[in-house]
Amino acid sequence: MIVPFDIIILIFLVITALISLRVRDLLGATMILGVYSFLICLLWAEMGAVDVAFTEAAVGAGVSTVFMIATIYHTRRHSSD
Amino acid sequence: MEFLNASVIPYFNYWIYVVLMMIGLHAMITKNNLIKKLIGMSIFQTAIILFYVSIGVKTGSTIPILEHHHDEGHAETAHAVAESGDHHAEETDHEKSDHGNNEHAIEADHGIDPDHFANPLPHVLMLTAIVVGVSTLGVALAISQSIYKDFGSLEENEILAKIKQGGPGVDV
Amino acid sequence: MKWFGLIATVFTGILLLSAVPDFAAFGDPDSPANGGLGDHPSVSQYYITDTYTDTKVPNIVTAVLADYRGYDTMFETVVIFAAGIAIFAILRSFSGPVAPSHPTAIDTSVEGDHQRIIIGTTCRVIIPVIQLFALYVVAHGHHSPGGGFQGGVILGASFILVALAKDLSAALGRFSEKRYLALGSVGILIYAGFGLLCVALERNFLDYEILHRIMPATDPIMARSHSMLGVEVGVAFTVTAIMFAIYANLSSKGRLEQGF
């Protein structure tokens, strides 16, 4: 556990979460959610939860982004808010 | 500054988890677009997982994987079975094996200090939660696609207007 | 609605923040979750100190996941399978070919050809490596981070990559609907089979120790380790199949033919 690293990542987490909810282009929002997942994966690796970090890297940053893009491709890309 | 030192710095992770949870909850309630609601749900979910993992952190601990030797595996097995009755004999090796001195790194259960390893239990619970989370996200996306097929939109207000006009499947 | 949402969020936030100072400080080794209360040690301390003598598995997380909390993992796997079945029920349609609502993204110009060659060749090189790594993650989960869930997701992602690089029908040619539904069920059957085998040998469900009677050249401790590998393989089967099933249905609106 490295405290400065911890604090920096946590601040970035809040920023990416807010941005991904502000962006109106859903494809962009999904990619930023992927960045969020990757940051939280780094955070867990830093906390010593390597298995959880590995799962999040494979699932959150990888597969769930692909699922969302697959849905956006078949629906509308623009969001009203 | 007093307040910061006393109640923000030691609980920084918990504060951020509450903030992330509020962001996610707010998005789930107020966003108009269904995909945006799902993004909010993802953030809410990771906030809870962050909370659980934070509980299991110990200062100065390492990852919950023990040191071991491959080549000794089978020889040691027989050894352990023969002695499974009296682990207590090895209790004296306590200090020696703490610092990962390789020869006796893992020879008895009592040689392992729990404070040296992060708490594995929250990790186990959250690992399965993440994978279940992605499959439920898949179900949610499938329902969104099916809603889009029936109503031609993913915006909540447009869907509600169409429902008031006369049920699903009016026009695709 | 906006105001209601804001008020509800702020109220929940204040409620949670007021509880934060009651937690043990971040990283405290003696907090109730880590060190137990008073004379009663926490169960996680038992897991850390006794896992290796009980099971010979150095990765404590894998041991707790597949052995001590085997019921939990088994039914989590069932939840994943149920999610796959739910998507099948929601989206899958067996109607004939319908004109695509989007023009399919096949570019026949020279530039498009070049792009397809680059992507196709890269994927042909990289996919076997990904699959090999996924199998390594499943098999080596006892000694390093990894296990059935992670390996299964990576293996499923490699099939998704086939679908992205070529098209969905190429991926379905390798991993058809019949196959992935069968593989998903087989995974759970493997997991439950290990449990039932223990019952057949007159022990509790998922009490692997007794399996040394039928596994060659093992003792009760190694039997637990080997059985854990077995159930992890079952989990990996189910997760692989369901991850690809979800993608295939989502990307083709349940028709399993066009997609991208």
Side-chain angles (χ1 to χ4, degrees):
Chain A
M1 196 184 89
I2 313 152
V3 175
F5 196 68
D6 200 59
I7 290 174
I8 290 169
I9 292 181
L10 286 169
I11 290 168
F12 268 112
L13 271 181
V14 175
I15 294 171
T16 44
L18 285 174
I19 291 175
S20 79
L21 289 169
R22 292 292 298 181
V23 173
R24 296 205 169 187
D25 181 5
L26 285 176
L27 200 59
T30 310
M31 295 322 287
I32 295 168
L33 192 70
V35 174
Y36 171 90
S37 289
F38 193 73
L39 281 174
I40 211 160
C41 151
L42 278 182
L43 183 68
W44 286 332
E46 180 257 355
M47 283 180 181
V50 274
D51 281 87
V52 186
F54 193 176
T55 319
E56 179 70 20
V59 168
V63 175
S64 76
T65 312
V66 174
F67 287 174
M68 281 202 160
I69 291 173
T71 303
I72 291 165
Y73 180 82
H74 284 297
T75 56
R76 208 179 289 165
R77 186 172 160 179
H78 185 77
S79 154
S80 68
D81 56 351
Chain B
M1 206 57 212
E2 284 275 307
F3 175 74
L4 269 183
N5 276 331
S7 46
V8 175
I9 301 293
Y11 302 109
F12 196 72
N13 270 46
Y14 299 123
W15 281 77
I16 294 290
Y17 114 78
V18 174
V19 170
L20 284 176
M21 217 154 138
M22 281 163 72
I23 292 171
L25 187 65
H26 186 251
M28 276 166 79
I29 295 175
T30 59
K31 287 288 173 187
N32 200 19
N33 188 291
L34 293 184
I35 304 283
K36 276 288 171 78
K37 276 180 195 282
L38 289 180
I39 291 177
M41 194 184 79
S42 281
I43 291 171
F44 192 92
Q45 195 182 10
T46 39
I48 292 168
I49 297 173
L50 174 63
F51 168 60
Y52 267 80
V53 175
S54 303
I55 288 177
V57 176
K58 296 175 189 167
T59 312
S61 67
T62 181
I63 58 174
I65 297 176
L66 307 169
E67 249 182 282
H68 65 287
H69 305 286
H70 273 288
D71 42 0
E72 289 174 24
H74 287 281
E76 243 188 332
T77 309
H79 184 66
V81 172
E83 291 195 327
S84 57
D86 52 3
H87 290 308
H88 298 282
E90 313 217 8
E91 213 158 5
T92 42
D93 288 337
H94 194 187
E95 265 78 36
K96 188 162 47 173
S97 50
D98 264 358
H99 296 289
N101 261 343
N102 297 330
E103 281 188 337
H104 301 285
I106 301 172
E107 54 180 15
D109 47 355
H110 298 282
I112 299 166
D113 181 9
D115 288 352
H116 274 223
F117 298 96
N119 189 346
L121 194 55
H123 301 180
V124 175
L125 302 176
M126 291 307 108
L127 195 154
T128 47
I130 290 174
V131 183
V132 169
V134 77
S135 19
T136 47
L137 178 75
V139 176
L141 291 171
I143 293 174
S144 315
Q145 280 197 13
S146 150
I147 288 173
Y148 187 80
K149 201 172 83 186
D150 283 349
F151 294 97
S153 168
L154 281 182
E155 305 291 331
E156 206 178 44
N157 51 1
E158 292 174 24
I159 294 169
L160 286 176
K162 283 205 177 168
I163 288 177
K164 267 181 197 153
Q165 273 172 23
V170 223
D171 188 18
V172 179
Chain C
M1 199 62 188
K2 292 255 183 240
W3 285 108
F4 170 73
L6 199 63
I7 291 167
T9 311
V10 169
F11 179 71
T12 318
I14 289 172
L15 211 63
L16 288 170
L17 284 177
S18 70
V20 162
D22 295 339
F23 287 129
F26 178 58
D28 180 9
D30 298 323
S31 68
N34 292 334
L37 272 178
D39 292 338
H40 303 285
S42 151
V43 68
S44 67
Q45 283 178 318
Y46 173 82
Y47 290 149
I48 292 171
T49 52
D50 286 43
T51 295
Y52 196 76
T53 36
D54 280 356
T55 64
K56 287 282 167 201
V57 173
N59 186 351
I60 306 172
V61 175
T62 305
V64 178
L65 182 87
D67 188 318
Y68 295 109
R69 299 188 66 87
Y71 277 104
D72 191 353
T73 311
M74 179 175 159
F75 287 103
E76 301 267 12
T77 317
V78 174
V79 169
I80 292 168
F81 184 70
I85 296 297
I87 287 177
F88 184 86
I90 294 167
L91 276 184
R92 187 83 175 93
S93 72
F94 294 97
S95 56
V98 183
S101 55
H102 288 261
T104 39
I106 296 170
D107 191 350
T108 48
S109 66
V110 180
E111 227 170 274
D113 259 3
H114 283 183
Q115 274 188 357
R116 288 183 80 78
I117 287 172
I118 292 171
I119 293 171
T121 315
T122 311
C123 288
R124 187 171 298 171
V125 173
I126 212 170
I127 284 170
V129 182
I130 294 176
Q131 291 180 337
L132 201 62
F133 177 65
L135 295 181
Y136 161 79
V137 168
V138 176
H140 209 255
H142 291 50
H143 301 275
S144 61
F149 286 105
Q150 293 96 326
V153 171
I154 295 172
L155 200 54
S158 74
F159 287 107
I160 293 176
L161 191 57
V162 175
L164 287 172
K166 294 182 177 172
D167 54 359
L168 189 61
S169 53
L172 282 170
R174 287 163 175 78
F175 201 21
S176 67
E177 185 175 34
K178 207 177 267 181
R179 276 188 210 157
Y180 67 60
L181 287 176
L183 197 69
S185 328
V186 164
I188 292 178
L189 284 180
I190 290 175
Y191 205 135
F194 268 94
L196 290 175
L197 218 54
C198 301
V199 176
L201 293 168
E202 299 177 344
R203 282 294 188 90
N204 290 328
F205 192 67
L206 293 175
D207 187 358
Y208 307 133
E209 237 171 58
I210 196 66
L211 291 179
H212 76 275
R213 279 206 218 146
I214 53 172
M215 284 184 182
T218 47
D219 51 59
I221 295 176
M222 284 315 280
R224 288 175 82 163
S225 176
H226 293 327
S227 314
M228 264 184 246
L229 181 62
V231 300
E232 293 268 22
V233 169
V235 171
F237 276 7
T238 305
V239 174
T240 305
I242 298 305
M243 286 300 142
F244 182 66
I246 293 175
Y247 173 78
N249 280 299
L250 282 181
S251 70
S252 66
K253 291 185 178 177
R255 292 209 181 85
L256 296 190
E257 41 195 33
Q258 268 128 10
F260 65 106

